[in-house]
Amino acid sequence: MRRSWVPVAVLWLGYTVLMMWAVAQFNWLPEQWAIEAEVVDEAMVLLQYLGAPVMALVLAVMTWALIAWRSNGANRPDGPPQRDNRTVLTTWLIVTSALAIFVVINPGFVGLAEIRGEPSADYVIEVEAAQFFWKVTYPNGTESFDELVVPSERRVRYDVTSVDVNHSFWIPAFRIKIDAVAGLTTQAFATAEHEGGIDDDINLRIQCAELCGAGHASMAMPVRVVSDQEFNEYIETLGEGE
Amino acid sequence: MTMLEDSPAQSTGSTAQDSSTETKPRPKARRPFRWVLRGVVLAIIGWATGVALAIAIRGGSPTDEIVVIVAYVFALIGWLAGVGGIEAFGRQWIGKKPQVNTDPSWGRYFGFSIDHKVIGIQYGVTLIAVLLIGGLAAMIMRIELASPGVGVVDLDDFNKIVSMHGILMVAVAVAGVLGAFGNYVVPIQVGAQDMAFPRINALAFWLLPPVAVGLLGAPLLGSFNAGWTAYAPLSVVNESGQILFNMAIITFGLVSILGAINIIVTVITMRAKGLTWGRLPIFTWAAFSTSLLAFTVTQFFAGALVLVTMDRVVGTSFFAPEVGTSLLYQHIFWFYSHPAVYIMVIPGFGVILELTTTFARKPLFAYKAVVAAFLGIVGLSVVVWAHHMFTSGMADFLHGPFMILTEAISIPTGIIFLSMIGTLWQGALWFRTPLVMAFGWLFNFLIGGITGIFLADIATDIHLHDTYFVVAHFHYTIVGGAIFALLAASFYWFPKITGRMYNEKLGTLFAIWVTVAFNLTFIPLFWAGMNGMNRRIGDYPDAYAGANRFASFAALILGASFLLFVWNMLYSAIRGPKAGPNPWNARTLEWLISSPPPTHNFVKEPVVVGAPYDYGVEGSVHAYFKDPDPAAPPEPTTEDVSAEVQDEALAESQEEVS
């Protein structure tokens, strides 16, 4: 019988190294503008590293199958009558279960705790969704339909609701998302890190992420991150303007 | 190999029951469309009656939603009666013998035939047609998305096309493999003459055209734009086409449930002598497991849509925006629709493993573990639904349990990969089109599985939910897992069904083409999703233009590949070379009879004596055919009710002719 596990192991190692190198080398993720974004991105990268050897294993077998296990014709000799292999099956079950348990704990529960675990916040901003626009209400009661201005390095709680159908409050640059549901107030937390606006990064925007009707695609609002002081001045002047 | 030649049941060469393979003149079709035409006429009369009745009782116009509902129900009854229900069921109610369509020509495909093989082909052709229409919708979407800004369709029309594409493709994925090959192959693989309830089987199929007409007719009332998910409250307040969506999908649920009952009962009660559960072919196991699932959960989608319909027409407020209960819709909906994902892919697992073992010429690796995995997936799939709702605003304490259960389901799914790898391992791989498709399937489903972990994990799902990452992921699992399996199955069983061989070169070309184009289309969309492009939008910021242009271009190439598929299927079905009973040298029962199989599948009674996939095992036999004992009196069995009905109907129709 041909020994196949050596070349498959070599291929597996090769693919794994290649994929891990690619994960380290190329960053597919957009720029981070909040602490929450770091948590999410870390989780994404960790899962890519964990997925690499799994993917590499299947690819290695596929590659070697294409190279070494070809035969031709309906009357070719049969392959080895291998029905089962307890060791392989048990190992497989243990490894996949261990991987599943691992990802549930980290980044699963660890990430969950970091994003949603701490209920305290420096500011509360109310967000109301409607077909097809956003309304934000700042702590001092002033409102805006044009842009969301948030302080940097302060933890902000967003109290989100809807007046009609379901929408979803998503700021891609912060990696936070929560649905806006009429009759409910849902919450999301984000701590912006540095100052900037939609001109710096298209992902500094509130984007509706739940299909809500004709204007769904264009239901977006720019987000601007400013210093804490500027934020307080901004909401003051916004109040005076009314 | 030697034991195959020695075995008395060996199907290669002249030992097979090839009674129907000699050339006979094709019987001519006699007014083949009369049943469908009668169905259409009675459906129109039913619609008019329903409209008249509803308006007479409550007034209003024919486009009022409640009027549409009444009209739809009447039209559905008219259609079923006209297409053959009168003869198949109605006659029995007045004490006469039921009749079914036994047209020996190609006209049987347009009548109320109860032959499971005819019904399988009817499902297959109908659903491939729906697949192509859904594909056309996808092409329009990709053309619109090729560049930012509003192009060929406006934003609302885009949502409507997305919704139409979604629901048509979901229907194809749910019913494709199970409807076409579940019907055609399962009864033969278990050694039965037909399904347990052949008339119900026919009824289930003839409910399918109204589903397609209902969905495609919705634009007449203002098309539905709430996606295939039809989330309330949007589906309560949008245009009236939503009502036709609801009615069509409730009907489709009926198709699914009736089909599932039939497969469950057939597999439990009609297995051939000696066909124990441990010898059941893996595709039949897959169809059986899927049917258990479809039978259990399908009514939840229908139930959710009934509530939406009541909100719309009788003024209830289950999901009215004011009351904040729209999460209830999502819970009920996903209680069906997450298991539905497995209803789509488990038959795909069955197809792929079935043909991998044939073309690798090795026993199926870890057969028992695979069966356990199927049943494990069936069990787990009903307790993972809320992972679609991590950002929905449901209580935070629900996140943990659903994340654990969702990750847990990756363990049985992993067994499928193990079995596939183990079966391929050191096999004698014969790269015909089905195996090439299976390799494409393996690659796609691998990517689908790996990217699924990002969506099961809450930390990453919060960002990725409702983005193009999700779109790419579920296309990898559903197209990669279910549609690729449907295509692979089409090639694998093509010689059995048509008796002819497809064009191998074109088949392989198609398999490679569709796999490459599919990957080129969806890989860039992972990037777009991660980088902030949400799904179901007809316009997007300029930042995503590059990825979208690339994906659109690749999508057009992907779409074009299906022309090759359709051409190969159609041309080969008519002009292809004769395939013989067992071109793949496979072992399961369907390959031991002629191609195409005789009317009642088996000329002699099959007796199963061994495992289905013991390739390479010295002296192993799966089944042989028992010669009828001339001394024994012919005993009527409970199994061939269908055969009796069909024989009687045939006799009657022959009397009619003479």
Side-chain angles (χ1 to χ4, degrees), chain B residues 213-266:
Chain B
V213 171
L215 291 173
L216 293 167
L220 295 174
L221 295 173
S223 198
F224 48 92
N225 67 348
W228 82 272
T229 50
Y231 268 19
L234 181 58
S235 58
V236 175
V237 297
N238 60 358
E239 290 173 66
S240 292
Q242 187 68 44
I243 277 294
L244 276 177
F245 174 98
N246 294 0
M247 300 311 288
I249 294 308
I250 291 169
T251 314
F252 184 64
L254 203 53
V255 175
S256 220
I257 292 169
L258 293 177
I261 292 173
N262 231 330
I263 288 179
I264 292 170
V265 177
T266 305

Side-chain angles (χ1 to χ4, degrees), chain B residues 333-401:
Chain B
F333 172 79
W334 286 115
F335 193 80
Y336 163 71
S337 293
H338 192 77
V341 173
Y342 291 98
I343 294 173
M344 299 173 199
V345 297
I346 295 177
F349 296 161
V351 167
I352 297 296
L353 293 178
E354 178 92 32
L355 66 87
T356 302
T357 168
T358 302
F359 287 98
R361 265 208 113 55
K362 281 185 63 199
L364 184 69
F365 187 78
Y367 171 96
K368 281 182 189 163
V370 171
V371 172
F374 285 167
L375 297 174
I377 291 173
V378 168
L380 277 173
S381 70
V382 294
V383 289
V384 298
W385 77 90
H387 67 222
H388 294 270
M389 299 170 62
F390 285 152
T391 67
S392 69
M394 69 175 181
D396 272 12
F397 66 80
L398 288 173
H399 289 164

Side-chain angles (χ1 to χ4, degrees), chain B residues 127-146:
Chain B
L127 290 168
I128 294 284
V130 174
L131 176 78
L132 296 176
I133 297 170
L136 225 53
M139 293 301 109
I140 299 172
M141 284 152 59
R142 282 319 318 177
I143 290 168
E144 164 63 29
L145 291 173

Side-chain angles (χ1 to χ4, degrees), chain B residues 64-345:
Chain B
D64 283 0
E65 293 187 356
I66 190 137
V67 178
V68 171
I69 293 172
V70 176
Y72 178 88
V73 172
F74 274 76
L76 190 66
I77 294 169
W79 159 257
L80 289 175
V83 87
I86 296 175
E87 284 79 6
F89 293 96
R91 282 174 60 92
Q92 207 170 18
W93 299 337
I94 54 167
K96 291 186 176 176
K97 280 205 169 129
Q99 282 181 344
V100 291
N101 191 309
T102 50
D103 189 343
S105 74
W106 55 267
R108 65 186 181 280
Y109 297 111
F110 296 92
F112 201 89
S113 172
I114 59 168
D115 182 346
H116 70 99
K117 297 184 288 298
V118 173
I119 294 169
I121 292 169
Q122 286 170 330
Y123 268 107
V125 171
T126 310
L127 290 168
I128 294 284
V130 174
L131 176 78
L132 296 176
I133 297 170
L136 225 53
M139 293 301 109
I140 299 172
M141 284 152 59
R142 282 319 318 177
I143 290 168
E144 164 63 29
L145 291 173
S147 58
V150 174
V152 286
V153 287
D154 72 30
L155 292 181
D156 195 36
D157 286 344
F158 184 86
N159 292 349
K160 290 171 178 172
I161 294 169
V162 167
S163 307
M164 185 68 82
H165 167 76
I167 195 65
L168 291 178
M169 292 309 205
V170 163
V172 172
V174 164
V177 175
L178 208 53
F181 298 102
N183 267 307
Y184 198 102
V185 176
V186 167
I188 310 183
Q189 281 192 338
V190 301
Q193 293 185 325
D194 206 314
M195 284 283 193
F197 310 114
R199 283 185 294 166
I200 298 285
N201 202 19
L203 180 72
F205 167 73
W206 287 107
L207 282 167
L208 197 58
V211 175
V213 171
L215 291 173
L216 293 167
L220 295 174
L221 295 173
S223 198
F224 48 92
N225 67 348
W228 82 272
T229 50
Y231 268 19
L234 181 58
S235 58
V236 175
V237 297
N238 60 358
E239 290 173 66
S240 292
Q242 187 68 44
I243 277 294
L244 276 177
F245 174 98
N246 294 0
M247 300 311 288
I249 294 308
I250 291 169
T251 314
F252 184 64
L254 203 53
V255 175
S256 220
I257 292 169
L258 293 177
I261 292 173
N262 231 330
I263 288 179
I264 292 170
V265 177
T266 305
V267 174
I268 291 179
T269 65
M270 295 175 72
R271 281 169 289 137
K273 193 183 274 181
L275 185 55
T276 56
W277 289 100
R279 290 171 180 166
L280 213 54
I282 205 68
F283 176 67
T284 295
W285 258 119
F288 177 71
S289 316
T290 311
S291 297
L292 288 177
L293 197 52
F295 174 59
T296 317
V297 296
T298 306
Q299 32 292 10
F300 283 84
F301 195 1
L305 290 178
V306 167
L307 299 182
V308 167
T309 306
M310 286 173 71
D311 269 10
R312 292 182 73 105
V313 297
V314 295
T316 54
S317 50
F318 292 107
F319 309 122
E322 314 84 65
V323 289
T325 48
S326 73
L327 286 190
L328 175 64
Y329 177 88
Q330 296 177 28
H331 279 295
I332 307 173
F333 172 79
W334 286 115
F335 193 80
Y336 163 71
S337 293
H338 192 77
V341 173
Y342 291 98
I343 294 173
M344 299 173 199
V345 297

